Structure formats: structure tokens, C-alpha cells
Amino acid sequence: MGQKISNKRRSNSTLKKEKKSSIFWILIIFFALFSIWQLWVPEALDDWRWGSEVGIMRLKTWFEGYNGRYFGDILVIVLTRLPIVLRSMAISGIMTAMLYLIYQLTEYKILSFLICVFFVVNIPTSLMSQTYGWVSGFSNFCVSATMILGFLLYHISIFKEKKVSKLKTGISMINAFLGSLVLENSTVYLIVLSIAFLIIYGVQYKKLHKGMLLHLIMVGIGAFWMFSNSAYRMAAAHTSQGTGKEIAAFELSFEWFASALKVYADTIINYWIMPNHLLNIVTCGMILILLQKRKKKGQGLFLLLFSGFLAFYIFNFMNLGTWKDYLAWGNAAQAVIATMYCLALVAFSAWFITDFKDKVIVQIILWSQLILMGPLIVASPIAIRCFYVTYIFFVLYLGVLLSYSIRSGFLKISKGYLNTGIMMCIFFVMIGNIGVYYFVHGQVNDRLQYIQTQIKQGEKKIELKEIPLGDTYCYGLDVYNPAWVWRYKMYYNIPGDIELKFPER
């Protein structure tokens, strides 16, 4: 009997070592490929400001009157000045850290992890152009997502009564403080999440956790520092100068709520949920499979709902959402369906998951969407990059749900060939993206060489040709505002008396 137990322990130990080795090599390969990918990402738009004298001037004034994203701003100043190889490795290192955090949050299940990796590298193209294809976007939105995941991992580990060393607690507290100095809505989220976990932990274990309290204090200090910047007072008063940012003041009136609903239906939904075609389809498909494995009251209703959502997202993907443009109430209908989808995810997860702690964690992941998205309703301007963090949370939900289903025995999958297949998909997606950015980078260099050639020939007015795929995979390669044209010329040392005409969109 003792021999059998000894053999079983030896077998489990071997499996753990093999799993660690597999993850190690997956992360190393990802790091190498993402580094190569980033080698070919051209500077664009805000990169020209941060990488020039403007960035240093802002640093000297400590970004007063611009924004309170102190850590994100310093990071982009550093990244835009690093040699391209070091910059690409730094960016890839941050993304690799994000994936390792996702691996831990999905309870070390390789299949769940690989599916998450696939969706992290295969994000909607419009979102990619403003994050992976833009240094300034990456420095705020991808960095914020990584730091939030680290913050979440610490609190989940404590909630699940896992041992967390003093060193990890200290690192997590530093992460909490710096993470509150990257994005405004993320800072609000970290405060709410800290309070929520303190309450949940207190109710569950009838005591106050000092580590969680210290995290709340660190985030509170960071939030106070961020929002004490005069930029937010000017944005609220609609007197911001040079930032273009505004905050709509809350009013207890029908007009205010009508305006907020219009922003939600016309803008938020089209950035938050609708671009995630493949992720939504896979999530609905997996839930329909899980519904076949769990037979209890309510199954029929969820089958009906998620079959409808699956059909909606497939239809929307096939016609790229153009159907709503022909209906006066198209955006409103889409918003209602997408909101029902989010609420259905919440209800299904509460119905399907039986373990209390797993149920709480999944609910926190889902309701995080509301806290991260909510502040954006009153912010202006907003763009799809503002929803990178929420996208990552949808990916994390899929991974955590799949991990729970495997651990609980609801899904029994022969993972060998499936893991290999997903890894091959990830590999080819990344190779494809490397190829696209290599091409765009070459076109950007050709444009700069053309400008220099024209200047040497004495030309004062230079008409530029469109960069194929440039607008699709990069953000702001073609500019029309005279201020941006001036920044472009300053960054690339083009004489001020040269008139550049960028191609019309």
C-alpha cells in the first residue's frame, strides 16, 4: 500500500515538473515572437510627442494640467527613447508577465491558459492598432491590464487561503500603488475591488486581513495623487487646455440619463462587446456544451438564451453589424441584446458553479466589467483602446470557467492533440501579425526616404501616398490636423517650411 502511495506521489511530482517545463517553454516562445512582432511597430501620433522634447517638457512640470497617469506617462517616455530591440523586449516582457498571471488565475490548467493566450494575441484589429500597434496605447492600456491582473491574483490567493509570502505581498503593494497611476477608470476599479474583497473576506472569515487593508491604503494614496492633478478639475469644468479631455458632470435629470443611455448604446457597446466576435461566439458555444452536462431546473431557459446569443453574434460577424445602420433603433436593439448577454453570463455562472469560492471569484470577474466600463460613460473622448482591460476580463472569464469545468469533472477532454492544435493556431496568428507589421514598417520607412529625397530635390510641397494596411493595423500614421503634422515633422527632423500633404481617407 505504501509503495502505491509513493509511486502516486512520484507520478504527481513528475506531472508537475512536466507542466512547469511546458509553461516555461510556451512563455519563452511567446516572448521571442512578441519581441519580433514589436520590432516592426512604427511610431505614430502620441509617440511623436512623448519621444520628442514635448515629453521631457511634460516631465519637468510633472504632467501638471495634462493628466495624473504618472507611471504610464513616465513609462511611455522611457519606451519611446529605448533602442528598438530593448523596447520590443520590454513590451514583450510585460505581455509575458500578463500571460503568466492569467496562467495562475486559471488554476494552472494548460488548456484554459492556451485558449486565453489565443484570444490575447488574436484581438480585434481595431483594438490591436491602438494597443499592440501603438507604443503610447500599450503603455497605458496593456500595462494597466497586467497590473490589475496581478492585483486580482493577490486578493484571490488570500481569499482562497493560499500562502502568500511577505516578499510577494510587498511586490503586490508596490504594484497596487503604481497600478493606480496608469488609467483613471482602472484606479477607480482598484479602489472598488479592494473594498469588495475586504468586505467579502471579513464576512467569510470574520476578521480583517491586514494585507488587503494595506493594498487599499496604497491604492487610495495613488488615487489621491492622480486626481489631485489640475487636469481633472479643468476637464470637469470643460476648460481643459491641450488635452482635449472632458468629464460630464452628473445631474439628477431625465436629460442627463437620456444622454448617458445614448452614449452607452451608440458608442460604449460598439467598443465594449460588439467587436469581440470570435470571443463571444466561442464563449456562447462553450456554455451550450456545459449546459448539456448539467441537468437541473433552468437548463432550458439558458439553452434558449445562449442559442439566441450565439446566432446573434454569428449573424453580426457575417454582416459586420451593418444591419443596425438601416434601422432607426438599431443601436438601441444591439445595446439591449448585448446587455442581456452580460446579465445572462452572470446568471449562468451563479447557476452552474457550485463551489462558493469559485462562484464568488467568477462573479467578481464578471461584475468587474461594470466598474471598468461605467466611468467611461462620462468621459470624453473615448476610443476602443479604453476597452482593452474589459476585453482581457472577458478572456479571463472564459479561461476560469473552462478551468472550473475541467476541475469539477463537467468536461473531460483529451488535451494532448487539442493543446498542440491551439499552440499551432497561436503560432500562426503571431507569425501573420509579424508579417503584417514588417510590411507596414517597411512602407513607413519608404515614406520617410521619399520625403528626404524630395527635400534634396528642392521640393517644398510633398504629397504622400497611402500606406497599405497602415490605418488598419496602426494608429495615426496619416495625420491632417496641422498640429499633428508639425509634431510629425519635429519628430523626424523635417524642416518646418516643408508642406506635407497626407492622403485623404
Side-chain angles (χ1 to χ4, degrees):
M1 180 74 175
Q3 185 67 33
K4 285 183 179 178
I5 293 172
S6 178
N7 289 338
K8 188 174 182 180
R9 284 177 180 169
R10 219 176 278 124
S11 174
N12 288 338
S13 177
T14 303
L15 283 171
K16 285 181 180 178
K17 286 180 180 177
E18 289 177 353
K19 185 180 284 189
K20 284 183 178 178
S21 177
S22 298
I23 289 299
F24 174 78
W25 286 110
I26 290 170
L27 292 175
I28 287 294
I29 293 168
F30 174 86
F31 174 80
L33 289 174
F34 206 87
S35 295
I36 296 169
W37 179 349
Q38 289 300 306
L39 282 173
W40 310 117
V41 172
E43 292 86 0
L45 222 60
D46 283 50
D47 301 341
W48 305 330
R49 285 199 293 193
W50 290 115
S52 67
E53 295 175 8
V54 176
I56 300 301
M57 288 168 59
R58 286 178 181 167
L59 180 60
K60 286 178 179 178
T61 62
W62 206 239
F63 313 106
E64 183 59 33
Y66 183 72
N67 65 37
R69 302 176 180 181
Y70 300 108
F71 182 65
D73 291 345
I74 290 171
L75 186 62
V76 72
I77 288 173
V78 172
L79 287 176
T80 51
R81 282 167 172 76
L82 281 177
I84 186 63
V85 173
L86 290 180
R87 183 174 78 194
S88 64
M89 291 176 69
I91 289 174
S92 185
I94 292 168
M95 288 302 299
T96 304
M98 179 197 288
L99 294 187
Y100 186 63
L101 291 169
I102 289 174
Y103 173 60
Q104 294 177 80
L105 286 165
T106 53
E107 299 288 342
Y108 307 96
K109 296 294 181 184
I110 291 182
L111 177 60
S112 303
F113 169 67
L114 287 175
I115 288 176
C116 289
V117 175
F118 173 77
F119 281 108
V120 168
V121 300
N122 194 34
I123 65 176
T125 309
S126 54
L127 183 57
M128 183 187 296
S129 70
Q130 297 184 26
T131 50
Y132 305 159
W134 189 33
V135 178
S136 296
F138 179 91
S139 301
N140 283 312
F141 301 95
C142 300
V143 169
S144 179
T146 303
M147 301 181 92
I148 284 175
L149 291 179
F151 188 88
L152 184 63
L153 177 63
Y154 171 82
H155 284 77
I156 287 176
S157 299
I158 297 298
F159 179 64
K160 285 197 163 187
E161 297 184 285
K162 294 180 180 178
K163 289 184 179 179
V164 180
S165 67
K166 290 182 179 179
L167 176 61
K168 287 183 178 178
T169 300
I171 293 171
S172 182
M173 286 173 62
I174 294 170
N175 174 72
F177 175 68
L178 295 178
S180 64
L181 300 171
V182 183
L183 279 180
E184 294 82 6
N185 62 325
S186 296
T187 301
V188 173
Y189 170 73
L190 291 176
I191 291 173
V192 174
L193 187 66
S194 297
I195 295 170
F197 264 111
L198 269 172
I199 294 171
I200 293 168
Y201 186 90
V203 171
Q204 177 70 10
Y205 299 106
K206 305 293 187 285
K207 60 181 179 180
L208 180 70
H209 192 277
K210 292 179 181 177
M212 288 184 175
L213 180 60
L214 288 172
H215 276 70
L216 175 58
I217 292 170
M218 295 300 285
V219 172
I221 293 170
F224 178 79
W225 189 17
M226 169 182 270
F227 291 112
S228 64
N229 192 299
S230 62
Y232 301 103
R233 294 192 296 275
M234 290 190 293
H238 305 289
T239 58
S240 55
Q241 299 172 355
T243 66
K245 296 179 177 66
E246 290 187 358
I247 301 171
F250 174 77
E251 295 177 11
L252 195 60
S253 65
F254 175 79
E255 290 78 12
W256 188 92
F257 282 103
S259 175
L261 285 173
K262 182 171 176 57
V263 170
Y264 178 75
D266 294 351
T267 305
I268 299 286
I269 288 295
N270 286 300
Y271 289 151
W272 176 33
I273 295 174
M274 297 316 298
N276 313 334
H277 303 295
L278 186 58
L279 178 58
N280 293 338
I281 289 168
V282 170
T283 301
C284 290
M286 192 183 81
I287 288 174
L288 288 173
I289 292 171
L290 293 176
L291 283 168
Q292 304 300 319
K293 307 289 182 180
R294 188 140 177 88
K295 299 186 182 298
K296 69 173 188 177
K297 189 176 179 181
Q299 181 193 32
L301 175 61
F302 285 119
L303 279 170
L304 179 65
L305 281 172
F306 283 99
S307 295
F309 292 135
L310 179 62
F312 171 72
Y313 287 125
I314 291 174
F315 172 74
N316 208 70
F317 174 66
M318 290 173 66
N319 68 28
L320 301 177
T322 54
W323 62 272
K324 69 181 187 302
D325 298 332
Y326 298 99
L327 301 171
W329 42 268
N331 279 333
Q334 181 178 259
V336 169
I337 295 170
T339 305
M340 286 177 59
Y341 169 68
C342 292
L343 294 174
L345 290 178
V346 170
F348 166 78
S349 301
W351 175 86
F352 179 75
I353 298 173
T354 54
D355 180 83
F356 172 73
K357 289 182 180 178
D358 285 319
K359 185 176 291 191
V360 169
I361 289 165
V362 170
Q363 289 297 319
I364 286 172
I365 291 171
L366 286 170
W367 285 104
S368 293
Q369 296 281 348
L370 179 64
I371 305 164
L372 287 163
M373 175 276 296
L376 297 173
I377 292 178
V378 297
S380 176
I382 58 172
I384 192 169
R385 58 184 177 272
C386 301
F387 297 86
Y388 179 82
V389 182
T390 59
Y391 175 85
I392 293 299
F393 267 80
F394 276 126
V395 172
L396 181 62
Y397 169 74
L398 177 63
V400 169
L401 182 62
L402 179 58
S403 175
Y404 171 81
S405 303
I406 294 170
R407 283 187 288 112
S408 304
F410 289 108
L411 284 180
K412 294 180 180 178
I413 303 170
S414 178
K415 298 181 279 264
Y417 291 115
L418 185 56
N419 287 352
T420 304
I422 296 171
M423 281 191 282
M424 293 304 295
C425 288
I426 294 167
F427 176 78
F428 285 120
V429 167
M430 295 189 77
I431 291 296
N433 285 327
I434 289 170
V436 168
Y437 280 93
Y438 176 78
F439 171 77
V440 173
H441 188 271
Q443 294 292 310
V444 170
N445 284 343
D446 288 347
R447 171 183 278 182
L448 291 171
Q449 289 175 8
Y450 173 74
I451 292 171
Q452 293 302 327
T453 301
Q454 292 295 298
I455 292 173
K456 288 177 182 177
Q457 293 176 359
E459 295 291 338
K460 294 295 183 180
K461 292 184 178 180
I462 303 173
E463 190 167 336
L464 304 176
K465 294 180 180 179
E466 182 180 359
I467 294 177
L469 301 178
D471 271 351
T472 305
Y473 287 89
C474 296
Y475 185 64
L477 292 180
D478 294 330
V479 290
Y480 309 97
N481 187 308
W484 283 113
V485 175
W486 174 79
R487 290 174 189 125
Y488 177 88
K489 291 193 289 186
M490 181 176 65
Y491 186 77
Y492 289 112
N493 296 315
I494 298 168
D497 61 340
I498 300 297
E499 183 182 337
L500 299 177
K501 184 179 180 183
F502 287 85
E504 296 294 333
R505 288 177 182 171

